[in-house]
Amino acid sequence: MLEESEARQRILDTVEAGAVTWVPLELALDQVLAQDMTGAIDSPPFDNSSMDGYAVRAEEAQAGSALRVRDEEQPAGLDLSLACESGEAIRIFTGAPIPRGADAVIMQEDVIREGNQVTISEGVQVGENIRRRGGDVCAGQTLLKRGDLVTPARIGLLASQGVPEIPVHARPLIQIITTGDELVDPGAPLIPGEIYNSNSPMLQALVSRSGGIAATSHALDDPTHLRETMERAFAASDLVVIAGGVSVGDRDYVKEVLGELGVELNFWRVKLKPGKPFLFGRHPEGTHVFGLPGNPVSAFVTFSLFVRPVIRRLLGIPAVELVEGLEKAVAAEDLSNRGNRPHYLRGIWEGGRVRLSGTQQSHAIFGLSKANCLIRLEPEERVSAGETVLVRKDEVGGRR
Ligand code: AMP
Ligand code: MG
């Protein structure tokens, strides 16, 4: 059985960043730049006023002096190419181009206006209240690097440069197949023996949170139905994620049907709790397939540890950021792992201390819902309250 890190490495070794596509800037949030971006224009593109006030020659605009106000005003928008003559002040507004000859803007609060004259109550210095051309960005300057995440502020930056579309790695399409005769979609009534399909919406949300696009389907525990469902999924996806039916039960048909479709298994089973029956393989046409155990907590943990990093790699996220590392925390209670596989317990991390979030069985989704970290215990590890333990803080919270 593979160790977790070896399993993840084997998976990551088979994928690289997806195709480059140009997307409208406002739709690129949380995607990753596929190219460096350089400044297209100086920003601001021209010297302009940062205040509503009067454009003046600073040496003439000292406390107590009076200036004649020009009839024409310079609003933001069209540059009227005005020139500020000696002894003159030109009414100007925030964002408006600075008239020739003027070298400062005096705030309207710092003058007394009477008719076409202003008397200066507080003087200005050269350059005051002027935002210089290129003061923020110069054309040609590197603004963003390939691999940088597209954040709201970066969207603003690129828009200020006049960029309407940017090159990113396409979001992968992930087909999620849940399996099981006992499962019913939320919204429908349950008959005895049935449970609701929680994996489908949960995995869909995990895919979105990881940056992919999800489509879902459900297959009965019937090899023919499972095969048809899988064929449809393989025909239209970058990755296929199957939940349930990967274990050793008589009605666990996933491995058998994958074999019929020619899928080559890279590995089955990982030294991990929850999540041992996880499998990874490749369809003859190149699509990768993941088999997650059906229990919701196991599906969540294996998705977080093995599928999410792949989606992130496809999005072009740099290798060092694909997987959050383990961090130290102080155990707030005694913890132990009596098993022979590393165990990820669901925990609540608060101010450096960590405690269990509730029932730890792999169907117990309420405990998972309260967790904001996974606590990793090695085989036979016992930790007493106050001792150090290792946690993965970002996985359960599903932070990007
Ligand atoms: P399996 O891996 O198919 O043997 O399923 C293991 C356990 O997880 C069983 O108790 C299933 O009923 C449950 N299970 C499987 N798939 C789902 C699902 N989509 N939603 C909720 N529970 C599931
Ligand atoms: Mg099943």
Side-chain angles (χ1 to χ4, degrees):
M1 239 189 295
L2 293 182
E3 297 286 340
E4 173 200 334
S5 55
E6 193 187 344
R8 187 164 41 243
Q9 200 50 52
R10 277 224 211 167
I11 297 169
L12 287 174
D13 283 348
T14 65
V15 283
E16 49 190 54
V20 176
T21 131
W22 288 73
V23 295
L25 186 58
E26 63 278 16
L27 300 184
L29 182 63
D30 292 330
Q31 285 185 264
V32 174
L33 278 172
Q35 290 173 17
D36 293 356
M37 300 295 292
T38 47
I41 54 169
D42 290 338
S43 178
F46 49 89
D47 291 356
N48 69 91
S49 177
S50 65
M51 290 289 166
D52 292 329
Y54 295 86
V56 294
R57 295 167 178 245
E59 59 174 21
E60 297 176 354
Q62 295 311 314
S65 50
L67 296 170
R68 194 172 62 256
V69 179
R70 266 280 268 282
D71 286 344
E72 299 126 300
E73 301 185 335
Q74 176 62 72
L78 187 64
D79 187 344
L80 300 176
S81 300
L82 301 180
C84 183
E85 309 295 344
S86 179
E88 252 185 6
I90 298 178
R91 185 76 171 115
I92 195 168
F93 299 90
T94 305
I98 302 294
R100 243 176 318 119
D103 58 12
V105 170
I106 189 159
M107 284 162 62
Q108 62 191 29
E109 293 87 337
D110 290 344
V111 303
I112 297 159
R113 171 102 187 234
E114 284 163 316
N116 68 349
Q117 181 173 300
V118 283
T119 308
I120 314 294
S121 27
E122 197 155 324
V124 278
Q125 294 183 349
V126 174
E128 212 171 318
N129 299 323
I130 292 180
R131 304 188 283 214
R132 290 289 175 203
R133 171 177 180 164
D136 187 22
V137 169
C138 290
Q141 181 182 351
T142 300
L143 299 180
L144 294 166
K145 303 287 272 182
R146 179 168 166 247
D148 281 346
L149 196 64
V150 180
T151 61
R154 289 170 176 170
I155 287 175
L157 168 67
L158 294 169
S160 78
Q161 288 287 307
V163 172
E165 286 185 336
I166 53 173
V168 294
H169 298 282
R171 289 188 192 279
L173 173 62
I174 290 123
Q175 292 279 355
I176 296 162
I177 303 175
T178 51
T179 68
D181 291 347
E182 73 282 25
L183 296 164
V184 175
D185 282 339
L190 284 183
I191 60 167
E194 293 179 336
I195 59 168
Y196 284 118
N197 184 345
S198 47
N199 282 343
S200 187
M202 179 179 75
L203 291 168
Q204 206 175 353
L206 279 166
V207 165
S208 307
R209 197 36 92 76
S210 307
I213 299 167
T216 59
S217 52
H218 184 75
L220 300 172
D221 290 322
D222 165 72
T224 309
H225 189 232
L226 187 57
R227 183 182 171 137
E228 286 166 6
T229 312
M230 282 189 192
E231 279 174 337
R232 276 197 303 273
F234 277 115
S237 63
D238 295 301
L239 301 175
V240 172
V241 173
I242 305 169
V246 292
S247 217
V248 291
D250 288 346
R251 299 181 67 78
D252 289 337
Y253 296 116
V254 168
K255 284 213 307 300
E256 179 186 318
V257 175
L258 286 174
E260 285 172 26
L261 295 179
V263 167
E264 217 175 286
L265 283 196
N266 188 311
F267 62 84
W268 174 52
R269 292 188 166 175
V270 184
K271 223 173 143 198
L272 195 63
K273 185 181 172 182
K276 178 166 120 185
F278 179 84
L279 72 76
F280 173 59
R282 184 177 175 276
H283 187 267
E285 280 169 19
T287 307
H288 295 294
V289 53
F290 302 86
L292 319 185
N295 269 308
V297 176
S298 316
F300 188 103
V301 170
T302 48
F303 183 97
S304 301
L305 295 177
F306 303 120
V307 186
R308 186 168 172 273
V310 173
I311 297 175
R312 288 165 66 79
R313 169 152 284 174
L314 288 167
L315 285 170
I317 291 176
V320 287
E321 296 170 32
L322 289 179
V323 190
E324 293 80 8
L326 289 159
E327 285 179 44
K328 285 184 183 164
V330 175
E333 59 188 296
D334 294 352
L335 300 168
S336 71
N337 174 12
R338 296 202 190 86
N340 60 2
R341 287 172 278 149
H343 191 172
Y344 278 109
L345 298 155
R346 277 68 70 199
I348 297 175
W349 183 97
E350 219 168 12
R353 290 168 64 80
V354 72
R355 63 195 151 89
L356 296 178
S357 70
T359 309
Q360 293 293 320
Q361 287 157 298
S362 43
H363 68 284
I365 201 162
F366 187 32
L368 176 69
S369 76
K370 287 182 277 189
N372 64 4
C373 71
L374 295 174
I375 307 168
R376 184 183 161 108
L377 293 185
E378 299 306 320
E380 308 294 341
E381 184 174 0
R382 278 162 215 276
V383 178
S384 304
E387 289 180 348
T388 301
V389 71
L390 291 177
V391 298
R392 285 192 183 280
K393 271 212 324 240
D394 284 349
E395 312 277 351
V396 174
R399 262 201 280 143
R400 262 180 242 252

